Amino acid sequence: MSIRHHLSDPMLIAYAAGNLPEAFSLVVATHVSMCDTCRAQLATFEAVGGAVLAAESAALSDGALEAAMARLGAPEPALAMPKPKHTDLPAPLLDYIGGSLADVKWRSLGMGVRQAILPTSKGATARLLYIPAGQAVPDHGHRGTELTLVLQGAFCDATDRFGPGDVEVATEELEHTPVASSDGACICLAATDAPLRFNALIPRLLQPLFRI
Amino acid sequence: MDKNVIETVTETDFTALMLAVRDRQDKAAFAALFQHFAPRVKGFLMKSGTDAALAEDCAQDVMTVLWNKAALFDPARASVATWVFTIARNRRIDVARKARRPEPEALDWGPDSEPDQADIYEAGQETARLVAAMADLPDKQRVLIQRAFYGDLSHSEIAAETGLPLGTIKSRIRLALDRLRQSMS
């Protein structure tokens, strides 16, 4: 898999710091599972976290060490890495869908476009999007940040082409109309921290219904 | 930053202590790691907005996890400080009950992958090198990095912040980055 579009440093730093909404963490963890470059960058930022931790300290109360020693039991044995089940999904996403992309319970958004909202805590929304070959997702802008990770197929917008494993980090400035590649349906994992802003009237009316 | 807390003990020593815990359940090695890292975990959590009593409880929990999950420590991938940081971060998320944090798929390193001694040395040095690099930064830049890792800055605040010295930081751990890329290829 040749991934050309990566996570931004701020996104990886916020993930390393444990300070992203769950929906964004899901996209980051899924992309990192597919992308060795971002895995290495993440390790770099976790090392920075290690240095931040190493440089400050606060005195413990008396007896802290004795209390800790008294708690030591038998350590957990090293478990063999569980082999991933036969699936087309990276592990983080598997926990949210169970099974494979074929098991997703889609809801129609019209024009053949379908979505499935994934259960995450509030603050941001994660969903899978199914876009038929050649079909456009309605023109939309963003109030917040939108992360879109391609799981299958490809889409193009005004900025570039995004294939499997590619992630687009879209901010408020980007008004775009993603169009699925003509050679097959495109399935994406997308997360937003604010409702999308559609430019046509009808999708805007439907927005509360579909939570997009 | 209080430069007094930068210890003369090298990171490599911590790696050796951690391996003694991992491979031999060495309690004396654990005690030495506790005395170095538990106050740092407490300090880190207090800077992240946790009150002193809860931060101390969490520091105990983090060090217990270090003992219980020692089998997961891989000296070629991270220094002990980095590993402790990830445990402390996860504990902070649990305590805040804010959200789950999905983790990336674990890499399969294969049953026979014996870590390279040079990789272990490099990973062990990485924290000391970064602490030194951060101590050299102008206060304003250092504070920004600290705030990002204490969880004070959202991703959009980090993105909007032009004063983050990411180039400086990354150049200090370029070796680590190359090492990881090699291990994964």
Side-chain angles (χ1 to χ4, degrees):
Chain A
M1 191 180 302
S2 61
I3 294 174
R4 295 188 305 120
H5 296 279
H6 299 278
L7 290 161
S8 62
D9 283 341
M11 205 53 81
L12 283 168
I13 291 170
Y15 179 75
N19 201 29
L20 277 183
E22 183 181 354
F24 282 3
S25 288
L26 176 59
V27 179
V28 171
T30 305
H31 175 79
V32 167
S33 300
M34 304 163 91
C35 177
D36 290 347
T37 303
C38 287
R39 191 187 285 273
Q41 292 285 355
L42 175 61
T44 297
F45 292 131
E46 287 182 337
V48 177
V52 169
L53 177 135
E56 302 264 356
S57 70
L60 299 179
S61 39
D62 291 343
L65 175 62
E66 290 71 21
M69 298 304 288
R71 288 169 72 171
L72 298 185
E76 296 170 19
L79 295 174
M81 209 69 84
K83 289 277 167 223
K85 286 166 271 180
H86 182 70
T87 177
D88 47 3
L89 293 173
L93 203 47
L94 195 58
D95 292 343
Y96 286 80
I97 298 172
S100 72
L101 282 176
D103 300 315
V104 175
K105 293 179 182 59
W106 297 102
R107 292 185 61 176
S108 175
L109 285 179
M111 308 290 285
V113 179
R114 291 180 276 167
Q115 75 162 357
I117 305 266
L118 302 179
T120 57
S121 60
K122 60 181 182 191
T125 308
R127 65 200 192 284
L128 292 168
L129 272 175
Y130 176 99
I131 314 161
Q135 179 68 45
V137 173
D139 188 19
H140 63 283
H142 309 267
R143 277 192 206 94
T145 303
E146 183 182 39
L147 291 180
T148 309
L149 169 65
V150 177
L151 299 172
Q152 189 178 299
F155 75 82
C156 293
D157 67 12
T159 67
D160 209 341
R161 180 180 192 277
F162 295 80
D166 281 335
V167 65
E168 181 174 56
V169 183
T171 54
E172 309 219 353
E173 292 77 42
L174 185 70
E175 294 265 344
H176 67 160
T177 308
V179 179
S181 147
S182 57
D183 50 9
C186 179
I187 298 179
C188 300
L189 170 65
T192 49
D193 58 2
L196 298 186
R197 190 170 53 203
F198 284 94
N199 296 328
L201 179 63
I202 295 300
R204 203 180 298 153
L205 290 175
L206 294 178
Q207 212 167 338
L209 246 50
F210 293 124
R211 293 176 58 198
I212 55 178
Chain B
M1 185 185 306
D2 180 1
K3 296 200 178 175
N4 295 328
V5 300
I6 300 172
E7 303 270 324
T8 48
V9 188
T10 67
E11 285 295 321
T12 313
D13 297 331
F14 295 126
T15 302
L17 290 169
M18 192 58 224
L19 291 176
V21 168
R22 186 190 75 175
D23 299 336
R24 301 192 299 278
Q25 288 87 53
D26 184 329
K27 290 194 176 179
F30 175 81
L33 288 171
F34 184 94
Q35 287 188 302
H36 181 80
F37 284 107
R40 283 169 172 76
V41 173
K42 181 179 177 182
F44 173 76
L45 293 173
M46 285 174 67
K47 291 281 186 175
S48 302
T50 311
D51 70 59
L54 183 57
E56 177 145 346
D57 284 352
C58 289
Q60 288 276 357
D61 295 341
V62 166
M63 296 309 290
T64 305
V65 170
L66 174 141
W67 173 266
N68 288 339
K69 305 236 183 231
L72 295 177
F73 175 70
D74 180 345
R77 292 169 71 180
S79 72
V80 181
T82 298
W83 197 54
V84 169
F85 161 74
T86 61
I87 301 172
R89 170 198 68 199
N90 293 349
R91 187 76 194 110
R92 189 185 73 204
I93 295 170
D94 289 346
V95 167
R97 289 199 191 85
K98 272 201 288 199
R100 282 176 67 189
R101 180 179 177 280
E103 296 270 352
E105 197 163 328
L107 287 179
D108 187 0
W109 297 75
D112 305 318
S113 60
E114 190 60 34
D116 188 272
Q117 286 304 316
D119 286 351
I120 294 176
Y121 178 79
E122 275 303 320
Q125 293 303 308
E126 155 187 290
T127 300
R129 216 159 37 214
L130 280 169
V131 168
M134 293 215 303
D136 286 344
L137 289 173
D139 289 351
K140 204 178 162 195
Q141 295 189 349
R142 182 172 59 249
V143 167
L144 276 175
I145 292 183
Q146 289 170 333
R147 287 185 62 205
F149 283 89
Y150 294 147
D152 281 350
L153 301 177
S154 71
H155 66 87
S156 38
E157 286 168 333
I158 296 170
E161 191 49 73
T162 51
L164 272 172
L166 293 179
T168 311
I169 288 299
K170 281 190 189 174
S171 67
R172 298 302 178 106
I173 33 182
R174 178 56 51 78
L175 279 171
L177 205 55
D178 292 345
R179 186 183 74 240
L180 278 157
R181 286 202 178 115
Q182 278 166 17
S183 318
M184 291 184 304
S185 58

